[in-house]
Amino acid sequence: MLRTLSIRDFVIVDTLELDFSHGFSVLTGETGAGKSILIDALALALGGRGDSTAVREGATRADISAEFASSGLIDAWLAENEFTGDDGCVLLRRVIDSTGRSRGFINGIAASAMQLRELGELLVDIHGQHAHQSLLRTDSQRALLDRHASLQTQTAEVASAYRAWQTLVRQCNEFEANARTHAAQREHLEWQVGELERLAPTAGEWGDITQEHNRLSHAASLMAGAQEAITILADSDQPLISRLFLLHQKLSRLSDVDDNLKPVLEFLESARIQLQEAAYTLNNYLSKTELDPQRLHEVEARMDALHSAARKFRIAPESLPDELAQLSEQLAQLTQAGNIESLRAQEHAARKAYAQLAQKLSAARALAASELGAAVTAAMQNLSMEGGRFAVELQPCEPSAHGLEQVEFTVAGHAGTALRPLAKIASGGELARIALAISVIASQATATPTLIFDEVDSGIGGAVAEVVGRLLRRLGDARQVLCVTHLPQVASQAARHFQVAKQIDDSGRPLSRIGMLDDTARVEEIARMLGGVEITATTRQHAKEMLSRQ
């Protein structure tokens, strides 16, 4: 829902800030006062085209900001596009300078016009002679019909089934076009996998075998060094452990004379114990270490095999197990993809599954199209389009992610005329009234929270105008509705009434002023719309009566 609209130096508006609320609001004023300026400014903030003519004469830039209440759908879009701002609201801003250069912002973050338009379509739907006429697009018509009939789940299933089917179609086509290439690739992979499977490298094997080879190749040196250390520690004529023991005994006697030597005794005893443990460990090491030329030969042969394979595959020896796993997976995928009979069977099953879902969707759409067509046709009879017809045509088309048909809204404005696509209606007034009827009937399905109608009263008057006003008020019960109107019958039905007036500033330039009317001012405005230049007491009384019939 639109909360506030701020305009600065736009066309003939110098500065303006309006607050809006839920329900039905109207904008009225004299011809040429600039009633459509508010909608034009909002359309610009929503990503519409703008140029230097949007800047008020004498100003350097036009600045428009629109604040909307957010929702779950809007919050999801903002998060996906990294425009997250304050919880519960979203701010769109558009700035155009006097050279025509434009900048856009969403929640204070720079945004492209396309991003503004994409978000704007979730926030506002503008009906009338403006760019935001979403009902003219066949994709919007299809989406509205599907929402009206609550077919969103079915349409998502059809789209998913179509994508799965098309993936298999592409795989079949690729296989048939590249069968020879696939065979060569599979043969090469089979050879590579066979080589590595025969070698059977295991994870961590290269590190383990390298360490074992290093130990076996230096076994003689290791044994000699260990034996020499044992000799020095315990087996020589004057072993180190024995000398340390004698030294400990000598100092022990001296410590009886001077207690200050006792800490030294503790250190010597600890050293003796550590050396004794070292001697035991070395003896244990020697008992387990032996020269094994046969094992050394086996280890060297395995290392050579691993190293040769690594050179052949141009990878490090330790990467051989991972390479085997990767090539095996590629071979399995290529083998599966290369089984054309299996692929064709899968493609056939996927096509059948898609067709079943799409046919169910078509049947549901046909029923919803009939119901919507009848309801809108009935509404047209009360909107100065007696004898007119509205129909939702489902035209068969090639299978797509959207189903087996194109959805197109068609209308015959009067009795005896043929149905024509909604997009080809020549009269902007007819288009606006039909859009109004569709919006009221499908209001529960309309995703956008704010609906704007510009000049929906074109070509109607009297009782029909009152019907239009009641329809808009009814629509305002579920949505925020803004309407630019010339008719007092429409304006009197609104919950809030804004008046647009044109003034001349000190420099002789026109300025547009917009303000919300209180009850007294509203009677005067309705009376002006009823009676023209001269407002009489009778006209005012008529205006009060119209307002009292809300």
Side-chain angles (χ1 to χ4, degrees):
M1 183 187 76
L2 178 63
R3 288 177 173 173
T4 62
L5 180 65
S6 301
I7 305 173
R8 187 178 184 84
D9 293 326
F10 179 71
V11 190
I12 59 172
V13 176
D14 55 353
T15 180
L16 174 70
E17 183 163 344
L18 294 175
D19 295 325
F20 298 92
S21 58
H22 187 81
F24 176 33
S25 303
V26 293
L27 287 91
T28 65
E30 297 281 1
T31 301
K35 294 185 296 298
S36 295
I37 285 179
L38 182 146
I39 296 176
D40 292 340
L42 181 59
L44 196 63
L46 296 171
R49 288 188 177 183
D51 53 36
S52 59
T53 60
V55 182
R56 187 172 68 91
E57 186 177 351
T60 59
R61 67 179 186 179
D63 195 330
I64 300 114
S65 297
E67 181 183 320
F68 293 86
S70 189
S71 65
L73 181 64
I74 304 303
D75 289 340
W77 188 95
L78 292 172
E80 181 180 353
N81 292 274
E82 300 181 347
F83 287 113
T84 304
D86 296 334
D87 292 339
C89 73
V90 55
L91 180 65
L92 279 68
R93 183 183 175 209
R94 190 80 177 276
V95 179
I96 298 180
D97 62 27
S98 56
T99 66
R101 183 180 178 184
S102 170
R103 290 179 294 157
F105 303 89
I106 298 175
N107 287 336
I109 302 171
S112 67
M114 182 177 295
Q115 288 172 319
L116 288 173
R117 285 193 294 272
E118 186 177 339
L119 177 57
E121 289 180 355
L122 301 177
L123 294 167
V124 178
D125 200 358
I126 301 179
H127 300 274
Q129 300 175 40
H130 291 274
H132 283 63
Q133 299 178 37
S134 64
L135 284 180
L136 297 182
R137 301 196 305 268
T138 56
D139 58 339
S140 295
Q141 294 172 6
R142 182 190 63 248
L144 188 146
L145 177 66
D146 290 341
R147 287 198 306 271
H148 178 64
S150 300
L151 299 176
Q152 294 94 326
T153 300
Q154 285 183 250
T155 56
E157 290 174 347
V158 168
S160 178
Y162 180 80
R163 289 192 294 270
W165 172 35
Q166 291 304 302
T167 297
L168 289 167
V169 168
R170 286 193 297 272
Q171 289 180 0
C172 286
N173 293 337
E174 288 174 1
F175 177 84
E176 291 173 352
N178 303 297
R180 186 172 299 176
T181 301
H182 284 181
Q185 289 177 344
R186 186 170 61 183
E187 183 179 349
H188 182 63
L189 280 172
E190 288 173 345
W191 172 80
Q192 289 180 310
V193 170
E195 285 275 308
L196 290 177
E197 285 181 341
R198 284 189 293 275
L199 183 64
T202 59
E205 180 185 10
W206 179 255
D208 293 342
I209 204 168
T210 301
Q211 185 176 3
E212 184 179 4
H213 177 267
N214 191 45
R215 180 174 56 80
L216 289 171
S217 61
H218 294 84
S221 299
L222 292 171
M223 293 173 68
Q227 184 60 59
E228 182 180 358
I230 290 173
T231 300
I232 294 173
L233 289 173
D235 294 341
S236 64
D237 293 337
Q238 293 183 328
L240 188 57
I241 294 174
S242 298
R243 294 175 64 190
L244 195 60
F245 177 74
L246 293 173
L247 179 60
H248 182 274
Q249 285 185 325
K250 183 175 181 179
L251 287 178
S252 179
R253 290 192 295 270
L254 293 176
S255 67
D256 292 337
V257 180
D258 189 350
D259 288 344
N260 290 327
L261 290 174
K262 288 185 177 180
V264 178
L265 291 175
E266 293 177 1
F267 289 135
L268 289 175
E269 179 62 17
S270 176
R272 185 187 69 79
I273 293 172
Q274 293 293 328
L275 289 174
Q276 189 67 56
E277 288 295 327
Y280 292 154
T281 302
L282 284 169
N283 278 311
N284 186 53
Y285 176 78
L286 281 175
S287 68
K288 295 180 179 180
T289 304
E290 60 181 353
L291 297 175
D292 191 349
Q294 178 61 31
R295 179 56 185 165
L296 179 60
H297 176 73
E298 293 173 357
V299 168
E300 287 178 340
R302 182 61 175 172
M303 288 184 67
D304 183 63
L306 292 173
H307 199 270
S308 296
R311 284 201 309 271
K312 187 180 297 183
F313 286 89
R314 297 181 179 179
I315 58 174
E318 57 268 26
S319 300
L320 286 171
D322 293 337
E323 182 75 2
L324 173 58
Q326 183 179 350
L327 292 175
S328 297
E329 182 179 355
Q330 291 178 10
L331 179 59
Q333 291 176 352
L334 193 60
T335 300
Q336 182 180 6
N339 188 341
I340 187 60
E341 295 304 325
S342 174
L343 277 177
R344 285 173 178 163
Q346 293 177 51
E347 185 271 333
H348 177 76
R351 181 174 69 241
K352 184 178 180 180
Y354 165 79
Q356 290 175 344
L357 291 171
Q359 287 165 6
K360 289 181 181 179
L361 177 60
S362 297
R365 278 176 174 166
L367 180 61
S370 177
E371 293 175 350
L372 183 59
V376 176
T377 296
M380 289 170 64
Q381 312 312 307
N382 298 320
L383 292 172
S384 191
M385 300 180 74
E386 293 82 356
R389 292 178 297 139
F390 177 86
V392 180
E393 294 189 356
L394 304 180
Q395 301 172 349
C397 66
E398 291 296 319
S400 73
H402 304 299
L404 301 174
E405 59 278 320
Q406 291 181 336
V407 177
E408 187 168 44
F409 290 177
T410 61
V411 65
H414 306 283
T417 58
L419 289 167
R420 299 176 59 201
L422 188 65
K424 294 183 179 179
I425 291 179
S427 168
E430 286 184 346
L431 174 61
R433 278 175 279 154
I434 292 169
L436 170 63
I438 295 173
S439 297
V440 171
I441 293 165
S443 61
Q444 297 304 315
T446 302
T448 50
T450 299
L451 302 176
I452 297 178
F453 297 91
D454 189 9
E455 308 289 351
V456 297
D457 50 18
S458 176
I460 63 173
V464 175
E466 189 171 345
V467 171
V468 171
R470 287 200 301 268
L471 285 172
L472 289 169
R473 185 177 65 184
R474 174 184 163 193
L475 188 57
D477 292 339
R479 297 285 186 274
Q480 181 186 49
V481 179
L482 304 178
C483 177
V484 174
T485 182
H486 291 284
L487 295 178
Q489 295 93 331
V490 174
S492 64
Q493 296 291 329
R496 282 159 299 281
H497 192 149
F498 295 89
Q499 183 186 43
V500 184
K502 185 165 67 175
Q503 301 175 355
I504 303 298
D505 66 8
D506 296 338
S507 62
R509 295 171 180 161
L511 287 177
S512 183
R513 293 282 185 260
I514 303 176
M516 190 167 73
L517 302 180
D518 58 21
D519 292 342
T520 301
R522 192 172 181 189
V523 170
E524 290 297 311
E525 176 63 6
I526 296 294
R528 180 198 66 77
M529 298 172 73
L530 285 167
V533 176
E534 186 176 350
I535 302 175
T536 66
T538 301
T539 308
R540 290 190 178 91
Q541 183 60 35
H542 188 188
K544 291 179 181 178
E545 291 176 358
M546 293 182 69
L547 289 168
S548 67
R549 290 201 297 268
Q550 288 190 44

